Amino acid sequence: PVAAALAGRSDLAWRLSQALAVANVIVVEGDSDVEPWVTERIGSSAGELLIDAIRDGDVIAVTGGTTVAALAKSAPVRSGLRDIQVVPARGTVGETVAYQANTIAAELAEKLGGRSVMLHIPDSLSQKALEQLLEDPYIQQRLPVIRSATVVVHGIGDALAMARRRHASDAELALLTERAAKAEAFGHYFNAYGEVVYAMQTIGLRLTDVDRSRLVVAVAGGASKAQAIAAVAQAYRIDVLVTDEGAARRLLQMK
Ligand code: BG6
């Protein structure tokens, strides 16, 4: 039965890879919506994969969220790597500390024997604050490092669920609804066609930087995220998607 279950999951992964045009898909057992510890499985599976893929000199940008946090927590220690930097993909304040990109970057850097760069700025800024910050030497030193990421590791969220988690205003929520936002990743909101319909004003990684990176790893599970995963897969190149059976089955039903 164990072998049959594994074969079933690799078949699911293969079908999903075809349907989403994502080169590598890994499907872990369960559904994170139903059993929260499935998130740990996604994290550990992605963590092992990431550790093997890292090379000397890599700049790894990570987002926040429970799934990327699970990855950092369970990633095995790897020694012998040189000149590794782990950076938060964007400013993050407002989430539980354990799920903030800064915290996750620090934890992962320790596992890889690298150093982390912190970015202590809010996730959402006014135009004026943004302009002022861009002139700040602290930011001017860090931003180019973040934007030169060679590896990007990010979570995917349902658009409205993430907007609420970030305490979006009623106006923002209305805008996202009107523009039919389905997915959120690193502060960008996407519609079902993978078009950016809204981006939070903050400092950090842009889509062009993601496209330039060598390896993009997305981690997201739960049937409720199927629509969001499908939208993001159309927006930019994802090299590896680590998800769960719940999301995978729902995604294949949608196609
Ligand atoms: C956020 C990331 O912090 O976490 C997003 O910036 C992502 O890219 C979200 O959508 C997902 O969170 P979780 O907890 O569902 O993994």
Side-chain angles (χ1 to χ4, degrees):
V2 175
L6 262 177
R9 281 209 304 286
S10 65
D11 174 58
L12 258 185
W14 185 83
R15 285 194 284 151
L16 206 53
S17 154
Q18 300 293 308
L20 298 177
V22 169
N24 295 295
V25 176
I26 297 171
V27 179
V28 307
E29 192 183 348
D31 181 333
S32 328
D33 287 346
V34 184
E35 296 147 316
W37 46 264
V38 175
T39 303
E40 319 274 312
R41 280 192 183 150
I42 296 176
S44 64
S45 175
E48 279 172 31
L49 181 148
L50 179 74
I51 293 275
D52 286 341
I54 300 301
R55 300 183 195 154
D56 290 344
D58 267 335
V59 176
I60 308 159
V62 297
T63 67
T66 55
T67 324
V68 183
L71 182 159
K73 201 168 162 207
S74 67
V77 171
R78 190 174 152 190
S79 53
L81 284 167
R82 290 211 311 250
D83 193 24
I84 300 295
Q85 295 187 75
V86 190
V87 302
R90 330 167 39 88
T92 37
V93 166
E95 279 215 68
T96 312
V97 174
Y99 305 141
Q100 282 180 16
N102 279 323
T103 315
I104 297 172
E107 185 163 9
L108 195 59
E110 207 177 302
K111 298 272 176 84
L112 298 171
R115 57 186 192 282
S116 58
V117 170
M118 301 280 112
L119 194 62
H120 294 292
I121 55 159
D123 209 2
S124 191
L125 298 162
S126 68
Q127 183 64 32
K128 198 165 164 225
L130 186 69
E131 280 163 19
Q132 278 173 354
L133 270 172
L134 285 170
E135 285 175 15
D136 188 275
Y138 170 95
I139 299 297
Q140 283 185 354
Q141 192 195 354
R142 283 164 173 77
L143 188 56
V145 182
I146 292 171
R147 299 200 53 196
S148 73
T150 52
V151 177
V152 177
V153 180
H154 72 80
I156 301 170
D158 170 77
L160 292 182
M162 277 312 294
R164 286 195 196 98
R165 197 157 115 187
R166 288 186 168 136
H167 309 292
S169 64
D170 288 345
E172 270 178 308
L173 285 171
L175 189 83
L176 290 170
T177 308
E178 186 193 308
R179 298 188 181 168
K182 299 286 182 238
E184 185 280 343
F186 42 87
H188 291 64
Y189 288 85
F190 305 90
N191 66 15
Y193 306 104
E195 295 159 345
V196 177
V197 292
Y198 184 67
M200 291 174 71
Q201 292 233 78
T202 183
I203 286 174
L205 206 67
R206 309 239 178 97
L207 270 180
T208 48
D209 308 323
V210 177
D211 283 332
R212 268 197 304 266
S213 69
R214 183 183 85 243
L215 176 68
V216 181
V217 180
V219 289
S224 63
K225 283 194 184 178
Q227 231 185 0
I229 296 170
V232 166
Q234 293 194 67
Y236 50 88
R237 189 194 89 244
I238 294 175
D239 300 297
V240 185
L241 168 69
V242 185
T243 187
D244 61 21
E245 276 180 293
R249 291 194 197 285
R250 177 73 60 83
L251 268 156
L252 289 170
Q253 278 165 11
M254 284 166 45
K255 290 278 162 181

